[in-house]
Amino acid sequence: MKITVAGTGYVGLVTGVSLAEIGFQITCIDVDTDKILKLQAGFSPIYEPGLEELLQKNSHEQRLVFTTDFRRAYSNADVIYIAVGTPEKADGSADLSYVERVAYDIGEHITKDAIIVIKSTVPVGTNERICELLNGIVSSRNLKVSVVSNPEFLREGQALQDTFNGDRIVIGASDEESAEVIAKINEQFGLPILKTDSKTAEMIKYASNAFLATKISFINEIATLCEKVGADVEGVARGIGMDKRIGPHFLKAGIGYGGSCFPKDTKALVQLAGNVEHKFDLLEAVINVNNHQQALLVERVKEYFGSVVGKKIAVLGLSFKPNTDDVRESASLVIIRELLLSGAIVRAYDPIAIENTKRMLPFLDVEYHSTIEEAITDTDAALIVTDWEQIKQFELSKFPDVMNSAVVFDGRNCFDIEKVKQHKITYLSVGRKPVWQAVEGENSK
């Protein structure tokens, strides 16, 4: 069986490498020549633990090839995965232009019947539309195309873990024979397989992300209440998470969600609801809560100092979550822009995502550092934005040692309160009691 994966972004590359790892011959195609050249040389264009090693292994064993040639990729393929981006439009809906472009290219170049698998996150009804589009293109050549929905449920930073040890594989199709072919391909991952129709499969993807985003915004609202009544949000999260009906996952209070999925998919689902005259009040509230959470640290910094004009502030962590270089919809972008607009001097640290941040903030005067200690030296405050292990393991004693005033605003609750109390640090976290111990203006170096 010849399998092609269209798109070598996050989903496409992980999909192609994983299918090669379980033994299939995979061709990955992309229109970005520079990216393909990099992949052909064995280098991954994205940071994902373990991905580059598997890419190199399967390329060396000749199960994985990369190309920009449509004819080579599509002409004799039995199964073609579409895994291109569906970015957010101005109105919040998903932009399907990349999916449609790939569908046209597939229709023009296939030479036999094929199964098209849509991995991209698409609105309900898209699989049916793409099926009609493709069959319209190939009908004059007496070819038939079937389209199967196979949404991904990958967490950035844990994508390979989720591929080989996930919760389920969802396959949606009106053609049972095609669904069975895709089920056979996925059987080797050893995960439960749920077969359904394509519209239900498309909705499962959106509903899953919307529910997880709801849990995050819910615990962040509880965190705000905890601060006002003197409770501890981490104790609350442990307590409610022990209830099997609720579970412990996605109950980590902080400064909200980001990345390429939750923000885009929640807005797209609200837009989808509006298209069928349904007002999704709950999800709109989830989005509003998250937007406020991303501005939380800056609000607290301004409240603490009164004015941040001329203040040197370190932003620790730039990616939207640890173990990825993805800064899309990251709280760090919101925080850095607002601090600079308010007159602060910004110094930033991240172990992986500095170059991507520079591309997102190309004209802003930010000082970037490769170590935490360099970033916080001589600063008036440190803001923890991403809970990288490097930050969680940073020695607390170094904050008062090198900062002008050891004031830490922790947006991810990285440190144990009792351990913080052992040092001259003013520590303000999310949903927990503050620690007031820094001596402002004192640098003990």
Side-chain angles (χ1 to χ4, degrees):
M1 184 181 295
K2 295 183 178 179
I3 300 177
T4 292
V5 178
T8 58
Y10 184 79
V11 174
L13 188 55
V14 171
T15 298
V17 169
S18 299
L19 288 171
E21 178 65 13
I22 61 174
F24 290 100
Q25 296 292 324
I26 305 298
T27 299
C28 291
I29 181 169
D30 203 292
V31 295
D32 187 331
T33 302
D34 290 339
K35 185 188 288 187
I36 290 299
L37 289 172
K38 187 173 184 178
L39 288 163
Q40 289 172 340
F43 299 105
S44 172
I46 60 172
Y47 177 79
E48 178 66 33
L51 183 61
E52 191 164 87
E53 291 82 356
L54 282 188
L55 187 160
Q56 293 171 355
K57 172 192 171 188
N58 286 282
S59 296
H60 177 72
E61 294 174 0
Q62 299 184 336
R63 287 193 299 271
L64 182 65
V65 297
F66 300 94
T67 185
T68 57
D69 187 332
F70 292 154
R71 186 172 298 280
R72 180 185 179 189
Y74 298 138
S75 61
N76 291 307
D78 300 294
V79 175
I80 302 171
Y81 284 78
I82 296 179
V84 295
T86 53
E88 178 187 340
K89 289 183 178 179
D91 64 359
S93 63
D95 181 354
L96 298 178
S97 60
Y98 297 104
V99 173
E100 292 169 350
R101 181 67 262 171
V102 170
Y104 276 113
D105 293 335
I106 291 169
E108 290 294 327
H109 290 92
I110 58 174
T111 58
K112 61 181 181 180
D113 294 351
I115 301 172
I116 312 304
V117 184
I118 297 187
K119 295 290 285 188
S120 302
T121 301
V122 294
V124 176
T126 301
N127 278 258
E128 289 185 355
R129 282 178 49 201
I130 296 300
C131 189
E132 291 175 4
L133 184 155
L134 279 163
N135 280 298
I137 296 172
V138 304
S139 59
S140 63
R141 308 200 309 270
N142 295 317
L143 299 178
K144 182 183 178 183
V145 172
S146 59
V147 177
V148 175
S149 176
N150 178 215
E152 52 83 18
F153 302 96
L154 305 177
R155 293 170 294 174
E156 291 192 46
Q158 296 175 283
L160 293 176
Q161 166 73 15
D162 289 344
T163 299
F164 293 95
N165 300 280
D167 298 315
R168 79 293 202 194
I169 292 168
V170 175
I171 296 172
S174 57
D175 176 0
E176 180 58 35
E177 185 178 343
S178 297
E180 186 58 31
V181 170
I182 305 308
K184 284 288 184 184
I185 291 173
N186 283 278
E187 272 181 3
Q188 294 184 60
F189 291 117
L191 305 180
I193 293 176
L194 173 64
K195 291 183 185 177
T196 183
D197 62 88
S198 61
K199 288 185 177 179
T200 301
E202 291 164 333
M203 183 60 84
I204 286 170
K205 169 63 177 179
Y206 277 112
S208 295
N209 281 354
F211 186 78
L212 295 175
T214 299
K215 288 187 76 172
I216 294 170
S217 284
F218 174 81
I219 199 62
N220 284 333
E221 285 286 76
I222 293 295
T224 300
L225 271 179
C226 284
E227 292 174 5
K228 293 181 177 181
V229 302
D232 185 293
V233 73
E234 293 193 342
V236 173
R238 282 194 298 272
I240 65 176
M242 292 172 73
D243 188 324
K244 292 183 177 65
R245 298 168 299 175
I246 298 171
H249 304 296
F250 289 83
L251 291 178
K252 177 74 172 174
I255 50 174
Y257 55 78
S260 62
C261 292
F262 286 6
K264 174 175 70 73
D265 292 352
T266 49
K267 293 174 189 174
L269 190 51
V270 167
Q271 182 67 26
L272 177 65
N275 291 341
V276 292
E277 299 181 349
H278 175 72
K279 192 172 187 304
F280 207 145
D281 293 326
L282 174 61
L283 200 51
E284 288 182 6
V286 167
I287 294 167
N288 290 336
V289 168
N290 195 66
N291 290 341
H292 177 260
Q293 285 300 119
Q294 291 195 331
L296 182 66
L297 289 191
V298 176
E299 291 177 6
R300 291 187 172 178
V301 171
K302 290 180 177 179
E303 183 180 340
Y304 182 87
F305 288 109
S307 170
V308 297
V309 174
K311 296 290 184 183
K312 289 186 283 186
I313 298 175
V315 175
L316 305 181
L318 299 171
S319 58
F320 84 95
K321 64 180 288 189
N323 296 321
T324 179
D325 59 354
D326 194 346
V327 298
R328 287 174 290 181
E329 300 289 339
S330 174
S332 66
L333 305 182
V334 176
I335 289 167
I336 289 172
R337 289 189 187 103
E338 184 58 32
L339 286 172
L340 291 173
L341 283 172
S342 301
I345 300 165
V346 176
R347 311 176 77 181
Y349 159 81
D350 192 281
I352 297 293
I354 286 177
E355 292 306 314
N356 282 347
T357 305
K358 288 179 179 178
R359 282 190 281 270
M360 294 293 285
L361 304 173
F363 305 113
L364 298 188
D365 187 13
V366 179
E367 187 179 318
Y368 294 95
H369 294 273
S370 59
T371 71
I372 299 170
E373 191 163 348
E374 287 177 359
I376 66 174
T377 296
D378 296 329
T379 57
D380 302 295
L383 279 59
I384 299 176
V385 179
T386 313
D387 49 339
W388 281 99
E389 199 62 30
Q390 290 91 328
I391 296 172
K392 292 161 70 174
Q393 297 300 323
F394 188 71
E395 292 181 28
L396 286 164
S397 62
K398 290 185 178 179
F399 285 108
D401 280 351
V402 303
M403 295 178 71
N404 288 333
S405 59
V407 184
V408 178
F409 298 84
D410 188 350
R412 300 298 181 187
N413 292 354
C414 288
F415 297 111
D416 180 87
I417 293 287
E418 294 306 313
K419 290 182 179 179
V420 172
K421 289 178 180 178
Q422 299 171 20
H423 304 273
K424 286 187 176 181
I425 299 172
T426 285
Y427 181 73
L428 305 170
S429 52
V430 181
R432 304 188 294 175
K433 293 179 181 179
V435 177
W436 305 99
Q437 296 193 136
V439 179
E440 290 187 47
E442 178 183 288
N443 189 327
S444 58
K445 288 185 291 180

